[in-house]
Amino acid sequence: MKLYAAPLDFRPIAEEFSVPTDFPEEVTAQAATAQDRYAEQRRDARDIPLVTIDPAGSKDLDQAVFIEARDGGYRVLYAIADVAAFIEPGSALETESLKRGQTIYLPDEPARLHPAELSEDRASLLADVDRPAVLWTFNLDTAGEVEDFSVERALVRSRARLDYDQAHKDLENGTLHSSIALLPEVGKLRQASSLRREAINLRLPSQRVTESSDGKKGHYELVMEPRHEVMDYNSEISLLTGMCAGRLMEEHGVGFLRTLSAATPEAEATFRSEAEALGFDLGESSISEFLHSVDADSPRGMAVMREAQRLLRGADYVWLEDGQADVHAGIGGYYAHVTAPLRRLVDRFATEVCLALSGGYEVPQWVCERAGDVMSTMRSTSQLASHVDKACLNLTEATVLAPWVGTNFEAVVVDGGIKREKARLFVLDPPVIGQAVGHPETGKETMVSLVKADVEERDVLFAWPAD
């Protein structure tokens, strides 16, 4: 879940978890002067009218897309920033990225994987400038299933930098940019494919902290931002790319896979109970079908999406080399991260494997030599990112709730009962998941009293029954 909380100060969390937000001068200098190492190997694809779709204000633009109709289906062209073109093996820039692993998203500022000179300038797929890219081409049939695909290095030129809010308005008005006019059509077909695979597709809305409407200093509100359909359609193109990359690696027995074991029957039963407590009737639906039908923009929808995250615990990265390939249960097939190299280390290396396999040449030695380091860094920094995200959310919720200690709130008990020391509950407004002392039964709609909201400890506690 993306959290926007610019009015708050998250610097203490960055310091507590030793999250680096600045770069050594040598690294910044290399990023500012890096040149395309593969300039002579590129197809000139500047005639393709690609566009980017990102949150408003974003400058680290990893992906650009163009979709056209063809006989028997669709053609999707997807350009990914070619970060490897700017990072020389053995350079200070590479060494620093191997330490950082990924961009850590503090709500007030990102702790970037690469300096802004690279991630928001030279390597970013900004509009109206030539950029080196890795270009994926997918031929889909009329059902949106893959007939064939290829990947190559190319020189591209994005026509426009679109943001989700404007794209949503254009979609509603029937004026979607011509380059993505078919995105809703293809996105829906890919969503249907996802359902057939029993994939677990989480659609978490963002939350934003704003100054309170009561005008009191130190009072803040936590509001949900709508998750537009165009976001989900765009995500389907990224998922399509990752699945094809994973399949390519599995077929050749080499590469970087993103893996996830299936949720246990106990975990699925717990989720169904929690969803029912929140007022949803799953009936005979699979979890995949149910999540696809949920209105993620509603408070209860957001809560059930957050609970569904527990079904995706245990994700890992695997260097596949003459070994057993594991699927990603949340995707319903083989999967690899290749679409966000400006923000994730492994994408850069996995992309090199795909280029080699598709081009019929050996995987570069520098990729194989660093595979172990890449895996180790991704595992440790993914854990770090999770800890930081949780700390930031806890700080935000404690700050928003701090002025209201002693106030009663309407809540739904997600997991309660006499056997639990503390019940897990969902407070409807502001939309937070917290704990309460007492033993209300699961599914009970009740009033709870806020007894603690400690900003320094980042701790919130409710009590039942409310006073």
Side-chain angles (χ1 to χ4, degrees):
M1 181 179 67
K2 191 74 172 177
L3 176 64
Y4 299 95
L8 308 186
D9 181 14
F10 294 88
R11 172 58 53 180
I13 291 178
E15 294 174 353
E16 176 183 340
F17 289 94
S18 300
V19 177
T21 55
D22 298 319
F23 289 88
E25 288 186 10
E26 181 183 9
V27 174
T28 302
Q30 286 186 3
T33 58
Q35 301 296 319
D36 180 6
R37 300 192 295 133
Y38 303 108
E40 302 302 318
Q41 302 176 23
R42 297 191 183 281
R43 164 193 168 188
D44 189 343
R46 288 175 290 180
D47 60 316
I48 301 172
L50 298 156
V51 297
T52 60
I53 319 172
D54 292 272
S58 296
K59 295 181 181 179
D60 52 341
L61 311 182
D62 287 291
Q63 312 107 9
V65 64
F66 169 66
I67 304 176
E68 62 183 353
R70 67 177 186 92
D71 289 340
Y74 310 87
R75 179 170 292 113
V76 178
L77 295 116
Y78 201 42
I80 306 299
D82 192 355
V83 180
F86 296 98
I87 299 181
E88 188 76 34
S91 66
L93 195 54
E94 184 197 51
T95 299
E96 188 68 17
S97 70
L98 285 167
K99 292 179 183 176
R100 294 184 177 230
Q102 58 190 290
T103 296
I104 305 294
Y105 283 99
L106 296 156
D108 53 349
E109 66 169 328
R112 297 181 182 88
L113 171 61
H114 307 107
E117 289 81 357
L118 188 68
S119 61
E120 297 186 354
D121 187 5
R122 305 176 75 84
S124 179
L125 301 182
L126 301 171
D128 301 321
V129 291
D130 295 347
R131 284 291 184 262
V134 174
L135 183 64
W136 292 81
T137 301
F138 306 98
N139 288 318
L140 310 182
D141 63 19
T142 54
E145 300 295 347
V146 179
E147 290 187 343
D148 59 70
F149 66 92
S150 62
V151 58
E152 60 187 325
R153 282 198 152 94
L155 185 67
V156 303
R157 189 180 182 91
S158 170
R159 298 296 195 273
R161 187 175 85 184
L162 309 179
D163 66 66
Y164 286 121
D165 289 340
Q166 185 59 54
H168 172 69
K169 292 177 183 176
D170 292 343
L171 177 60
E172 288 188 319
N173 296 331
T175 57
L176 204 56
H177 193 287
S178 58
S179 293
I180 54 170
L182 290 172
L183 178 61
E185 191 172 323
V186 172
K188 290 176 183 176
L189 290 172
R190 293 304 304 169
Q191 287 175 339
S193 177
S194 175
L195 283 171
R196 288 191 291 273
R197 298 191 311 273
E198 291 294 308
I200 296 177
N201 187 9
L202 300 184
R203 294 172 291 112
L204 280 164
S206 300
Q207 289 186 292
R208 184 178 297 274
V209 174
T210 62
E211 300 279 350
S212 178
S213 56
D214 64 15
K216 294 182 179 179
K217 185 177 181 180
H219 284 209
Y220 300 95
E221 295 178 352
L222 185 61
V223 297
M224 292 173 54
E225 298 203 329
R227 183 174 178 86
H228 302 311
E229 287 181 323
V230 71
M231 296 179 180
D232 297 325
Y233 300 150
N234 197 39
S235 293
E236 288 295 335
I237 306 304
S238 179
L239 291 170
L240 165 67
T241 309
M243 291 186 67
C244 288
R247 191 175 86 190
L248 182 64
M249 294 176 184
E250 188 275 332
E251 288 175 351
H252 289 82
V254 62
F256 300 85
L257 292 182
R258 181 65 163 162
T259 64
L260 177 68
S261 299
T264 65
E266 292 78 12
E268 290 192 0
T270 296
F271 172 74
R272 286 178 175 273
S273 173
E274 292 169 343
E276 290 171 3
L278 287 165
F280 294 97
D281 181 11
L282 277 70
E284 298 299 319
S285 299
S286 69
I287 291 177
S288 174
E289 291 171 329
F290 163 66
L291 290 173
H292 184 74
S293 69
V294 169
D295 177 10
D297 288 340
S298 68
R300 291 174 188 260
M302 182 207 71
V304 84
M305 288 292 174
R306 284 181 60 177
E307 293 304 291
Q309 289 179 297
R310 294 165 171 257
L311 298 171
L312 302 180
R313 287 178 172 174
D316 196 9
Y317 291 97
V318 174
W319 169 242
L320 175 64
E321 189 175 36
D322 300 324
Q324 180 65 39
D326 295 318
V327 300
H328 190 295
I331 300 296
Y334 297 107
Y335 189 64
H337 277 157
V338 292
T339 63
L342 291 173
R343 292 167 279 174
R344 269 191 316 248
L345 173 70
V346 69
D347 298 52
R348 181 169 92 235
F349 287 81
T351 293
E352 289 303 313
V353 175
C354 292
L355 285 165
L357 298 179
S358 182
Y361 59 88
E362 291 293 321
V363 176
Q365 185 177 1
W366 60 267
V367 173
C368 299
E369 288 177 345
R370 292 160 176 79
D373 291 336
V374 171
M375 295 295 93
S376 177
T377 298
M378 290 308 303
R379 288 173 182 139
S380 63
T381 57
S382 293
Q383 187 176 45
L384 172 63
S386 178
H387 290 325
V388 170
D389 286 347
K390 183 177 180 180
C392 290
L393 182 60
N394 289 346
L395 172 63
T396 299
E397 292 178 345
T399 302
V400 169
L401 289 168
W404 306 106
V405 172
T407 302
N408 293 341
F409 292 85
E410 186 179 356
V412 178
V413 181
V414 176
D415 189 6
I418 197 68
K419 293 182 179 180
R420 289 189 62 89
E421 180 181 347
K422 294 178 182 176
R424 292 184 66 249
L425 50 83
F426 172 61
V427 176
L428 277 67
D429 186 18
V432 300
I433 291 178
Q435 292 187 319
V437 293
H439 305 288
E441 291 298 319
T442 297
K444 185 177 181 62
E445 295 188 14
T446 185
M447 298 298 291
V448 293
S449 179
L450 179 64
V451 296
K452 182 180 182 181
D454 191 312
V455 176
E456 187 173 338
E457 293 183 11
R458 303 194 292 268
D459 189 23
V460 170
L461 184 65
F462 296 87
W464 179 86
D467 295 332

